[in-house]
């Protein structure tokens, strides 16, 4: 036992989290579990603690591919050595812990999928494959902390391996395919942004964890943690009996699982729940079937019950149901109970739809009556892809466009370079080998550089006028709807967003730059309106915010331009606004001004501000989701 690991059985509460991890241990084909929650909620602790209670598996010492006994990978020199006297089936193996491999966020693609073994190549000029983390995780667990921050090029690698169960490497003169079946466990904090939908669906189960709200439970968590840190060995020994019980329960469940049956009526129930919760992926039906059987096996039963199906639904459906943009994953347990009852017995007439109608009426009547009004957002509609042109900017190359010479990403070519920052090993060795194998040595003239391409995200900075003039005629509804349409695109393109609001006497950075557009949407929906218009301060805060980022920015200003609060006493607020707009223009910041002024007589201040910013300009009358998308695409084209 690894005594440096906190005992799984000592984790306080978190019943659903522990159940999900145990199910993945019973049936590794479930695909793993995604653990979402705030910082300090035992996400990583539980994931790492799982290894100590997993039944041992047969492994061969020194096998880099974790080959299954009797089924070795053909190129594994340990399990299938060239010229061996023993057949592969008789290679000695022994019970060992299940592999637990951590994939660091900063790992290179070569480290993950494997690459040419440079040491072997330099010794004899032979092309030998050096396995990566995917090979090491075969038949085990691949753990990713803060999985939502994983670079896209590594996400693509994981998706390929998870879909096929193999890792295919085609590079540097190598053509290798080896098994890579693993249980994927990921943790994430929603404040750092959401997960790509394709990778989200690959997680069989999802659990939402929160810190205990009960003071007795919280104190018990602290008490156990302090005791463990004081003496890990003694603390682990105190929980050895409970750990052994869990280990025996898992081993029994694994043996029982093939005998567990699920009848057709329950299969119909699974499909019914998936349809009612508008789940598009058929993977949900399959995973629910497997999870229900694993639940039964975990409890020592050979027959699945409706309660097993319900328990599986709570883990399988929350992250797969069809959602609107920014709607959080989750499952209405009351609705789940109602659907279960409807499927298992005939529903009473006249009951359906009553609660939904009452809920909608309550929402309609819940509008704030305070002097500082909070308006809803108008329908945002669908927004197409936004691209950024930052040719004239001091910032990095354009938003969502291909970034040449990126530090990470896909290798597109190699070029000779005597001082490479990313060595192209295969090309370098091939260059040296062309001079002859008798005197094989690498010289400086053989060195080659890898040229990679990647995608650059952007910072979209929303500067929203929430002054009293914006409250007239409830214009903020249209404004919020417009911003939500842009946030939808930011979510899809993995951008960072920030929100500045200005009203009263000052501007405020409501949301610092973050990848969590859900937080931006929440701040926007709760934004109150009223007071004067401190436009100069808002532009000043925008300038300060953009000075702190190296990301290509897009400034979106929503205002009528009627500045009436100066940043410095005695100055003209309007002239201050123009001066800050010119400073932003000098820094090459792409911008879009959405003019919210209405009425027959207009001052036209927002248009003048757009001219000073060098920005695209759009009026409130033109403010629809379609027009907004077209205008922004015209403003910030791909490089």
């Amino acid at each position: 036992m690894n005594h440096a690991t906190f005992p799984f059985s000592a984790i306080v509460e978190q019943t659903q989290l522990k159940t999900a991890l145990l199910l993945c241990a019973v049936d590794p084909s479930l695909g793993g579990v995604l653990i979402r929650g705030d910082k300090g909620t035992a996400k990583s602790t539980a994931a790492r603690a799982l290894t100590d209670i997993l039944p041992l598996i047969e492994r061969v010492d020194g096998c880099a591919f974790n080959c299954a006994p009797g089924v070795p990978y053909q190129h594994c020199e340990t399990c299938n050595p060239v010229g061996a006297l023993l057949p592969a089936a008789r290679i000695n193996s022994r019970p060992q812990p299940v592999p637990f491999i951590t994939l660091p966020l900063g790992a290179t693609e070569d480290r993950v999928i494997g690459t040419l073994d440079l040491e072997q190549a330099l010794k004899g000029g032979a092309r030998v494959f050096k396995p990566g983390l995917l090979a090491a995780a075969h038949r085990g667990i691949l753990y990713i902390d803060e999985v939502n921050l994983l670079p896209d090029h590594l996400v693509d690698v994981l998706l390929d391996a998870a879909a096929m169960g193999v890792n295919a490497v085609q590079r540097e003169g190598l053509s290798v395919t080896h098994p890579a079946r693993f249980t994927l466990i990921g943790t994430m904090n929603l404040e750092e942004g959401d997960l790509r939908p394709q990778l989200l669906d690959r997680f069989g189960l999802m659990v939402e964890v929160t810190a205990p709200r009960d003071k007795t439970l919280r104190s018990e968590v602290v008490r156990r943690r302090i005791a463990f840190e004081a003496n890990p060995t003694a603390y682990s020994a105190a929980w050895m009996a409970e750990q052994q019980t869990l280990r025996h329960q898992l081993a029994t469940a694994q043996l029982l699982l093939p005998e567990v049956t699920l009848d057709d009526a329950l299969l119909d129930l699974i499909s019914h729940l998936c349809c009612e919760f508008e789940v598009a992926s058929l993977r949900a039906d399959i995973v629910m079937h497997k999870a229900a059987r694993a639940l039964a096996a975990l409890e020592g039963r050979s027959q699945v019950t409706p309660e097993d199906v319900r328990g599986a639904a709570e883990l399988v459906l929350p992250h797969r149901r069809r959602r609107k943009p920014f709607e959080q994953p989750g499952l209405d347990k009351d609705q789940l109970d109602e659907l279960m009852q409807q499927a298992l017995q005939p529903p009473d007439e006249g009951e359906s739809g009553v609660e939904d109608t009452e809920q909608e009426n309550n929402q309609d009547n819940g509008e704030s009556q305070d002097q500082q009004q909070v308006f809803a957002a108008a329908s945002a509609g669908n927004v197409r892809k936004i691209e950024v042109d930052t040719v004239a900017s001091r910032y990095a190359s354009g938003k969502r466009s291909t970034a040449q010479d990126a530090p990470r990403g896909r290798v597109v070519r190699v070029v000779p370079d005597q001082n490479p920052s990313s060595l192209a090993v295969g090309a370098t060795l091939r260059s040296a080998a062309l001079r002859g194998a008798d005197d094989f040595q690498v010289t400086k003239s053989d060195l080659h550089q890898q040229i990679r391409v990647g995608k650059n995200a952007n910072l979209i900075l929303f500067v929203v006028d929430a002054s009293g003039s914006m409250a007239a005629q409830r214009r903020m509804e249209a404004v919020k709807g417009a911003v939500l349409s842009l946030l939808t695109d930011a979510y899809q393109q993995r951008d960072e967003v920030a929100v500045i609001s200005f009203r009263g006497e000052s501007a405020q950075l409501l949301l610092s730059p973050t990848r969590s557009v859900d937080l931006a949407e929440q701040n926007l929906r709760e934004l109150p309106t009223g007071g004067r218009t401190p436009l100069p301060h808002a532009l000043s805060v925008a300038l300060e915010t953009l000075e702190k980022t190296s990301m290509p920015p897009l400034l979106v200003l929503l205002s009528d331009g009627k500045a009436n609060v100066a940043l410095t006493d005695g100055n003209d607020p309007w002239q201050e606004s123009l001066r800050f707009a010119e400073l932003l223009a000098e820094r090459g910041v792409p911008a879009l001004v959405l003019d919210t002024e209405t009425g027959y007589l207009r001052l036209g201040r927002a248009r003048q501000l757009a001219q000073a910013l060098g920005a695209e300009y759009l009026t409130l009358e033109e403010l629809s989701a379609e027009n907004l998308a077209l205008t922004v695409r015209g403003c910030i084209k791909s490089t």
Side-chain angles (χ1 to χ4, degrees), residues 443-459:
T443 66
K444 204 167 186 179
S445 61
D446 297 316
L447 300 181
H448 281 65
Q449 165 78 24
Q450 290 180 330
I451 303 298
R452 300 176 181 269
V453 295
K455 295 291 185 180
N456 279 342
N458 255 63
L459 170 63

Side-chain angles (χ1 to χ4, degrees), residues 270-305:
I270 289 174
S271 298
H272 174 69
L273 294 177
C274 290
C275 291
E276 289 298 318
F277 280 106
E278 298 183 357
V279 176
S281 171
L282 283 172
R283 187 174 289 111
D285 304 61
I286 298 172
V287 176
M288 276 186 66
H289 188 285
K290 292 182 177 181
R293 292 178 63 240
L295 274 169
L298 194 61
E299 295 184 5
R301 291 183 282 102
S302 59
Q303 183 67 41
V304 174
T305 67

Side-chain angles (χ1 to χ4, degrees), residues 107-158:
T108 63
E109 189 171 314
D110 290 347
R111 180 73 184 94
V112 176
I113 68 174
T115 186
L116 184 69
D117 191 322
L118 180 58
E119 181 179 358
Q120 293 294 328
L122 292 177
K123 285 181 179 179
R127 293 190 180 96
V128 178
F129 178 67
K130 183 178 182 179
L133 296 178
L134 293 183
H138 179 52
R139 302 173 63 216
I141 295 172
L142 184 64
Y143 172 71
I144 311 172
D145 197 14
E146 302 294 350
V147 63
N148 51 321
L149 301 182
L150 195 68
D152 283 346
H153 68 281
L154 294 185
V155 171
D156 294 337
V157 169
L158 281 181

Side-chain angles (χ1 to χ4, degrees), residues 258-407:
E259 302 175 11
V260 177
T261 59
L262 185 150
D263 60 39
D264 284 345
L266 292 182
L267 179 56
D268 290 339
L269 174 60
I270 289 174
S271 298
H272 174 69
L273 294 177
C274 290
C275 291
E276 289 298 318
F277 280 106
E278 298 183 357
V279 176
S281 171
L282 283 172
R283 187 174 289 111
D285 304 61
I286 298 172
V287 176
M288 276 186 66
H289 188 285
K290 292 182 177 181
R293 292 178 63 240
L295 274 169
L298 194 61
E299 295 184 5
R301 291 183 282 102
S302 59
Q303 183 67 41
V304 174
T305 67
E307 193 59 31
D308 294 327
V309 173
R310 189 193 187 285
E314 292 183 357
L315 298 171
V316 175
L317 298 182
H319 60 301
R320 288 192 170 91
R321 66 181 183 82
R322 192 181 299 278
R323 295 178 286 151
K324 298 177 182 179
F326 317 116
E327 184 182 0
Q328 292 301 306
L331 205 63
D332 187 332
K333 293 186 178 181
D334 291 337
Q335 182 185 2
L336 177 59
D337 288 335
E338 183 179 346
L339 290 173
M340 292 284 297
Q341 293 175 2
Q342 289 177 357
L344 297 176
Q345 62 185 19
D348 295 334
E349 295 183 1
E351 289 188 353
S352 62
V354 175
E355 293 182 1
D356 291 343
T357 302
E358 291 179 353
Q359 184 177 1
E360 292 174 3
N361 291 337
N362 290 336
Q363 291 176 349
D364 292 340
N365 295 330
E367 193 173 297
S368 172
Q369 301 299 323
D370 296 338
Q371 189 172 7
Q372 295 179 355
Q373 294 176 293
V374 179
F375 296 125
S379 176
N382 296 321
V383 174
R384 301 174 186 173
K385 183 178 179 181
I386 302 169
E387 297 179 334
V388 171
D389 182 3
T390 54
V391 173
S393 171
R394 70 177 179 87
Y395 298 92
S397 85
K399 171 182 190 288
R400 302 164 187 173
S401 58
T402 299
Q404 299 293 336
D405 300 331

Side-chain angles (χ1 to χ4, degrees), residues 7-209:
F8 188 90
S9 54
I11 297 173
V12 178
E13 292 293 306
Q14 305 294 13
T15 303
Q16 193 175 53
L17 169 59
K18 291 188 286 188
T19 299
L21 291 171
L22 292 175
L23 292 182
C24 289
V26 173
D27 186 358
S29 71
L30 282 173
V33 57
L34 175 65
I35 310 170
R36 296 190 352 154
D38 296 330
K39 299 177 287 291
T41 50
K43 302 189 299 293
S44 299
T45 299
R48 297 181 186 280
L50 179 65
T51 55
D52 274 351
I53 60 170
L54 292 177
L56 303 180
I57 63 172
E58 289 290 325
R59 297 173 61 187
V60 177
D61 289 331
C63 175
F65 295 93
N66 286 313
C67 300
V71 192
Y73 169 56
Q74 66 180 46
H75 296 297
C76 178
E77 295 185 353
T78 301
C79 300
N80 199 16
V82 178
L85 297 177
L86 292 175
R90 295 179 57 191
I91 297 294
N92 290 330
S93 62
R94 62 186 178 90
Q96 297 184 53
V98 171
F100 185 91
I101 306 299
T102 299
L103 196 163
L105 296 180
T108 63
E109 189 171 314
D110 290 347
R111 180 73 184 94
V112 176
I113 68 174
T115 186
L116 184 69
D117 191 322
L118 180 58
E119 181 179 358
Q120 293 294 328
L122 292 177
K123 285 181 179 179
R127 293 190 180 96
V128 178
F129 178 67
K130 183 178 182 179
L133 296 178
L134 293 183
H138 179 52
R139 302 173 63 216
I141 295 172
L142 184 64
Y143 172 71
I144 311 172
D145 197 14
E146 302 294 350
V147 63
N148 51 321
L149 301 182
L150 195 68
D152 283 346
H153 68 281
L154 294 185
V155 171
D156 294 337
V157 169
L158 281 181
L159 289 174
D160 289 342
M164 305 300 296
V166 297
N167 175 40
V169 183
Q170 302 285 338
R171 57 169 52 186
E172 297 166 342
L174 294 170
S175 179
V176 176
T177 300
H178 67 79
R181 297 188 181 278
F182 47 80
T183 296
L184 188 61
I185 298 180
T187 64
M188 62 174 284
N189 180 353
L190 188 60
E191 292 179 356
E192 297 294 338
D194 214 334
L195 200 61
R196 277 177 55 180
Q198 299 93 331
L199 184 56
L200 184 64
D201 189 48
R202 284 293 169 185
F203 285 97
L205 314 175
M206 191 194 81
V207 178
E208 195 85 34
V209 295

Side-chain angles (χ1 to χ4, degrees), residues 505-526:
E505 299 298 321
S506 63
Q508 178 185 6
L509 182 61
L510 287 182
L511 184 69
S512 298
T514 175
R515 290 178 66 184
S516 177
V517 295
D518 301 287
L519 292 178
E521 185 268 347
Q522 180 180 349
N523 277 274
L524 186 69
R525 288 191 184 277
E526 298 173 355

Side-chain angles (χ1 to χ4, degrees), residues 473-489:
Q473 302 177 17
R474 297 165 65 103
R475 278 179 277 166
M476 282 300 289
E477 290 188 359
V479 169
K480 288 184 178 182
V483 177
L484 288 180
S485 69
L486 285 176
L487 281 174
T488 302
D489 184 76

